[in-house]
Amino acid sequence: MLALPGCSFWVCTDTTAERGKAGVRVQVVDTDGQPLGVTAAVVDWSLEPHPQVPSEGDQVHFRFRFDGADEYSGPAVDACAVDKKRVTLGCQTVSSSEAFGPADDPLTGNTWLTVEHPEQVDGVLLIPNDQSHDDGLTCEADSKDGGGTHPPEPPSRGDQL
């Protein structure tokens, strides 16, 4: 095989994993769709004013739990407030490292989702794709070390789950 100086046979490719089916309880999967041995679940949710900004009215307060995660695995999933048709009203990524619950339930954490119309919220769903290892290295940014399969893009307001 003949190689010319300055030429490379390295072909960098970027792919995006397919978004998994959202649910109240999901098996967290890697970018290849393989289970990580971690289950993420929405424990409960409510509409109430955020204690730091009560003047902004009701927001979505929810508790989540990661079973099977340890201090080194640190998976993260997208959590979305949805309406009756499972259309996203607001989303954010939650990580197992945010689970700082009471001593009798240390795998549970809680956070807030800001939504424009909280009265439309019918539930909170989790998307099973692990978001913790997206280093952001793409072929465009770094053709030598970038590339590979990346987690799906986070859902946008109005996406159907």
Side-chain angles (χ1 to χ4, degrees):
M1 181 178 254
L2 179 64
L4 298 174
C7 292
S8 173
F9 291 101
W10 182 265
V11 177
C12 186
T13 58
D14 281 313
T15 56
T16 302
E18 186 174 322
R19 185 180 292 160
K21 182 177 169 98
V24 174
R25 183 178 178 87
V26 297
Q27 288 290 325
V28 183
V29 297
D30 64 16
T31 54
D32 294 325
Q34 298 302 309
L36 296 177
V38 175
T39 301
V42 175
V43 176
D44 59 28
W45 68 274
S46 61
L47 293 176
E48 55 191 84
H50 191 290
Q52 294 177 337
V53 284
S55 62
E56 292 182 8
D58 284 345
Q59 296 304 321
V60 180
H61 182 223
F62 72 100
R63 289 188 320 128
F64 56 91
R65 180 176 172 86
F66 282 87
D67 287 310
D70 60 36
E71 61 185 294
Y72 303 106
S73 64
V77 295
D78 287 323
C80 299
V82 297
D83 67 11
K84 289 180 182 178
K85 295 181 180 178
R86 295 173 61 116
V87 172
T88 60
L89 302 171
C91 299
Q92 72 180 48
T93 302
V94 293
S95 171
S96 62
S97 65
E98 296 174 65
F100 53 86
D104 61 336
D105 196 4
L107 302 176
T108 302
N110 74 87
T111 193
W112 296 81
L113 281 167
T114 301
V115 296
E116 193 171 329
H117 297 286
E119 70 279 0
Q120 294 177 354
V121 176
D122 189 57
V124 176
L125 299 178
L126 303 175
I127 299 172
N129 305 85
D130 182 20
Q131 295 289 333
S132 66
H133 296 295
D134 186 18
D135 55 18
L137 288 177
T138 62
C139 292
E140 185 176 292
D142 186 343
S143 62
K144 180 177 174 266
D145 297 324
T149 306
H150 303 283
E153 290 294 318
S156 299
R157 188 174 299 179
D159 284 358
Q160 179 90 39
L161 296 184

